[in-house]
Amino acid sequence: MSFQQPPLKDKDLSKIANGGHTPPSAHPRLAVWTRSQTLLALLVLAISAYFALEARYFASPNSYALCSKEGPKIYTVDANNSQTQCIVVQGSYIVDQGALRDIRKRWDRFSLNRIISLRPLLDFRFIKPGAIVVPGLSDSHAHILEYGATQQLPLEGTKTIEDTVARVRNFILSNPDIFNDTSKFIMGGGWDHTVWPTTGWPTAAHLDEDPVIRGRPVVLQSKDCHALWVSSKAIEASMPFPEAVDGGIIVRDGFGHPTGVLLDNAQELLKQPEITEGDMLRRFRVAVRDAHAYGITSIHDAGLDPASLAFFKRQAELGPLPIRIYGMTYFDEDKEYWGNRTTPLIADGDGRLTARSVKFFADGALRTSGAFLYEPYTDDPSTKGFMRLDPQILYDVIPKFLRDGWQVNVHAIGDNANGIVLDAFEASLQGVNVTASRPRLEHAQFMTEADMKRLGRLGVIASIQPTHAISDMWYAQDRLGPERVKGLYAFRSFLDNGARITLGSDFPVEAMNPLSGFYAAITRVSPDGKSPHGPDGWHVYFLPLTVLGRFPEQRISRKEALRGMTIDPAYASFTETVLGSLEIGKRADYVVLSQDIMTIPASKILATQVLVTAMDGQAVYGEP
């Protein structure tokens, strides 16, 4: 008789496979429990993933939507000059944009997070009726600490020498610490001899004639920062002066004695007290305060004082700067080449200081007859102006800086100076990636037609200051004559020849307000609507009729002007991927303006107020 084992059941096979133990899943109750655990674990994972997603995209306490109830009033300044109704800010960045209804669908929905927190995922902030939003404004050529210094004793707007002297006297009388100490240096700035009824320069004697001022060291910077007017006491401390100065002038009387005015490089002869860290900090705070009030979030500091950049670096080591600074390192021709021994400072992360450019001074200024011309000045045939450095230096050093990764920025104002600098650029840019190096002409005020074409062909950026045009238009023709003056501040011609421009103010030479530059660029008239050529604008020659109608020469459009204060300065400072426009992925630097400067009559632009200035999504001026 044989014995036949019955077939094994599934649970027996499971038991054998588990070493004689019945697996948990073989028990019905345990199987249910295990499935429940699995489902619970999957649910926990799903909820965790959801909240992680919301934490990443929605649940940040710094997330908000900035919108207009009046439609697309946010000028993004993207490649298409688009307008939108809302931008969504999370932390320091823009993470979304679009119509209000679409933003609400994507963000203001009923979610688990909203149920738990009892609040919307996104804070919606609405700008006031009539207001607009533009990217944070940039000034592509300015002098930060010099601005702060001039605010101590501002001389802008004085009508005569006597008026200026009176302002200095009143400053002394209003400050007991200065009045009681005759050894203290008195510093001021902003005087402009081109608007005074008298011809010629002021003198130390004009200051010394006042009994309150007499015997005190007084140093007064001119409006264009290319001249110093000083007292006899200030001169005495700096004597003896050399007979001549390369790239500068010591104004002298008929006996060869200094009269009290030093031009361009001669300014360096004056011995002045060292500026303390406290002095620089006070000046910096004043400049930043005013910049924020005008909607400025980025400034290209043009390296007038070599000590400025060192100060900014020290401040950056203490923490994030209150404003973005693109610093230009001053080039001193008396020092050895340093471009291969110094690494450009390029901000990353939350860094707000970049210093990757070198600043040359090719010539002086038109206002002080120091701009280097091809032909003599019409109102002073004895001079063509002068170069502040030997042109051969440009040929020797520019290629080295470009090779070592530095951007090269050259101050050039006269037509001859601009021609010389473009010659040097043309020779130096052979085989160089211009898009990577982005060389700049600072000012580019007066150029021949041939050099305007060359500017565009070479890819050199023109860093221009439109408010200079409406300041200089009242004396420019006397200085250059009726034909040559047509090549002065020819902004439209730059663009028509394919050049890229970027707008600045050169403050404290001109007013800091970037809307003044915007207004000047699109109108070429003074704030009260006047020009030497009438209310249509200075050198606004009407070209033949086209399909678009008459287009005024040398004005630029509002879109071009807005780009010149936003994305173009970003490009000129290598930051166009993170700044300059209100696009997804870029830093949330923006300005809320009380009026739509893109559509209102030009005469109303200067009445526009800044309501909010924000950097990295946080208001630094005004109420969000």
Side-chain angles (χ1 to χ4, degrees):
M1 177 175 168
S2 63
F3 179 80
Q4 186 175 3
Q5 183 177 353
L8 295 174
K9 297 182 179 180
D10 289 343
K11 64 179 182 179
D12 297 320
L13 292 172
S14 298
K15 186 175 181 180
I16 294 170
N18 286 275
H21 301 285
T22 303
S25 61
H27 297 282
R29 293 180 182 176
L30 290 177
V32 172
W33 173 250
T34 302
R35 286 194 295 271
S36 299
Q37 281 184 314
T38 302
L39 290 173
L40 181 60
L42 290 173
L43 181 60
V44 169
L45 286 173
I47 293 174
S48 298
Y50 176 86
F51 279 110
L53 185 67
E54 292 220 336
R56 171 67 180 85
Y57 292 104
F58 310 121
S60 167
N62 294 325
S63 296
Y64 62 90
L66 183 68
C67 303
S68 168
K69 292 182 178 179
E70 299 177 314
K73 293 295 184 180
I74 298 175
Y75 290 84
T76 66
V77 196
D78 62 8
N80 298 316
N81 293 308
S82 305
Q83 294 173 236
T84 191
Q85 190 174 10
C86 296
I87 57 172
V88 178
V89 177
Q90 183 184 54
S92 300
Y93 293 91
I94 298 170
V95 297
D96 199 1
Q97 62 172 255
L100 177 59
R101 64 179 180 276
D102 295 331
I103 296 296
R104 286 197 185 279
K105 286 179 182 178
R106 290 197 291 268
W107 294 79
D108 194 26
R109 68 192 193 286
F110 198 81
S111 66
L112 288 174
N113 191 31
R114 186 172 182 179
I115 294 172
I116 294 170
S117 64
L118 299 179
R119 64 179 177 81
L121 292 172
L122 200 63
D123 176 23
F124 280 79
R125 303 174 184 177
F126 294 93
I127 61 176
K128 294 181 178 180
I132 65 168
V133 181
V134 298
L137 302 178
S138 293
D139 193 311
S140 62
H141 186 110
H143 306 282
I144 298 172
L145 298 190
E146 288 77 9
Y147 174 88
T150 61
Q151 299 310 295
Q152 180 181 7
L153 174 52
L155 303 174
E156 183 87 16
T158 55
K159 303 298 184 183
T160 64
I161 291 176
E162 293 73 22
D163 186 17
T164 311
V165 171
R167 194 172 292 190
V168 176
R169 179 181 65 248
N170 292 337
F171 173 76
I172 295 171
L173 294 174
S174 300
N175 292 272
D177 58 325
I178 294 175
F179 177 78
N180 294 324
D181 186 353
T182 58
S183 68
K184 276 196 173 183
F185 269 70
I186 298 161
M187 319 287 284
W191 58 272
D192 181 7
H193 68 294
T194 66
V195 301
W196 297 341
T198 55
T199 58
W201 297 105
T203 66
H206 288 117
L207 294 168
D208 298 337
E209 287 171 358
D210 188 285
V212 175
I213 300 173
R214 187 183 306 127
R216 299 175 185 268
V218 179
V219 181
L220 308 177
Q221 183 82 65
S222 65
K223 175 179 172 66
D224 60 8
C225 295
H226 285 264
L228 288 178
W229 172 20
V230 301
S231 66
S232 297
K233 189 69 174 179
I235 293 175
E236 290 173 9
S238 304
M239 293 294 282
F241 286 157
E243 286 299 315
V245 180
D246 289 338
I249 295 175
I250 304 168
V251 179
R252 301 178 186 271
D253 62 20
F255 300 99
H257 302 137
T259 64
V261 170
L262 305 171
L263 304 179
D264 288 298
N265 288 355
Q267 297 177 96
E268 299 170 12
L269 300 174
L270 194 73
K271 295 178 181 178
Q272 303 181 54
E274 291 289 331
I275 301 174
T276 68
E277 193 77 1
D279 291 334
M280 288 189 281
L281 187 58
R282 282 190 292 273
R283 295 175 183 183
F284 185 45
R285 287 172 175 167
V286 167
V288 170
R289 177 200 67 196
D290 291 355
H292 286 166
Y294 285 127
I296 299 173
T297 57
S298 301
I299 300 173
H300 300 188
D301 190 87
L304 186 66
D305 183 353
S308 297
L309 184 55
F311 168 77
F312 300 145
K313 289 179 179 178
R314 291 194 297 273
Q315 288 298 302
E317 290 172 356
L318 300 176
L321 294 173
I323 199 162
R324 303 190 196 281
I325 299 176
Y326 185 73
M328 306 180 198
T329 303
Y330 177 83
F331 175 76
D332 188 341
E333 62 185 289
D334 296 325
K335 294 184 178 179
E336 293 183 3
Y337 174 72
W338 47 263
N340 58 344
R341 294 181 284 107
T342 304
T343 303
L345 175 63
I346 300 176
D348 55 9
D350 289 333
R352 293 183 176 182
L353 176 64
T354 294
R356 60 179 299 175
S357 66
V358 58
K359 168 72 178 298
F360 293 79
F361 283 90
D363 65 345
L366 186 68
R367 188 178 297 272
T368 51
S369 301
F372 189 44
L373 310 181
Y374 284 114
E375 301 296 332
Y377 281 85
T378 301
D379 59 352
D380 186 1
S382 68
T383 183
K384 295 181 181 180
F386 50 83
M387 289 290 286
R388 290 182 62 171
L389 82 173
D390 185 339
Q392 186 57 45
I393 293 174
L394 298 174
Y395 285 91
D396 292 342
V397 180
I398 288 178
K400 296 178 182 177
F401 277 112
L402 293 175
R403 176 199 65 200
D404 291 324
W406 293 85
Q407 183 189 48
V408 176
N409 305 348
V410 186
H411 162 115
I413 291 182
D415 56 354
N416 200 344
N418 276 292
I420 289 171
V421 174
L422 286 176
D423 288 343
F425 272 139
E426 188 164 19
S428 303
L429 290 170
Q430 297 291 332
V432 174
N433 184 338
V434 178
T435 302
S437 57
R438 306 183 190 184
R440 294 170 47 161
L441 267 179
E442 301 299 320
H443 306 303
Q445 285 183 9
F446 182 30
M447 300 179 72
T448 64
E449 185 176 350
D451 279 342
M452 292 179 200
K453 293 179 180 178
R454 187 160 54 143
L455 182 73
R457 177 168 53 83
L458 291 176
V460 175
I461 298 168
S463 173
I464 61 174
Q465 298 77 43
T467 44
H468 283 339
I470 62 173
S471 290
D472 294 358
M473 63 184 178
W474 302 105
Y475 70 84
Q477 184 163 312
D478 291 339
R479 194 139 297 176
L480 298 175
E483 287 304 313
R484 284 193 299 176
V485 77
K486 295 177 183 178
L488 186 65
Y489 300 114
F491 305 147
R492 177 82 260 148
S493 296
F494 289 170
L495 292 172
D496 290 346
N497 282 294
R500 190 158 191 160
I501 64 172
T502 179
L503 274 57
S505 68
D506 203 10
F507 69 72
V509 179
E510 302 289 352
M512 181 186 282
N513 187 358
L515 293 185
S516 296
F518 181 89
Y519 169 85
I522 69 171
T523 66
R524 294 177 73 89
V525 296
S526 62
D528 59 357
K530 299 176 181 178
S531 85
H533 297 151
D536 285 333
W538 183 54
H539 284 294
V540 176
Y541 304 112
F542 288 94
L543 301 178
L545 285 173
T546 68
V547 292
L548 298 177
R550 295 178 181 271
F551 195 86
E553 185 181 333
Q554 305 314 346
R555 290 179 186 165
I556 66 175
S557 71
R558 299 193 193 208
K559 286 182 179 178
E560 290 165 338
L562 182 59
R563 295 184 72 85
M565 302 190 306
T566 52
I567 193 63
D568 291 331
Y571 177 84
S573 59
F574 302 88
T575 55
E576 75 278 10
T577 60
V578 292
L579 298 173
S581 61
L582 300 178
E583 298 180 80
I584 295 173
K586 289 195 174 185
R587 288 191 173 273
D589 287 11
Y590 63 82
V591 181
V592 181
L593 299 175
S594 64
Q595 300 185 93
D596 189 346
I597 61 171
M598 306 302 286
T599 60
I600 61 174
S603 60
K604 296 183 178 180
I605 287 173
L606 295 179
T608 304
Q609 296 179 335
V610 172
L611 302 180
V612 179
T613 303
M615 294 180 62
D616 286 333
Q618 300 299 308
V620 293
Y621 174 81
E623 294 295 329

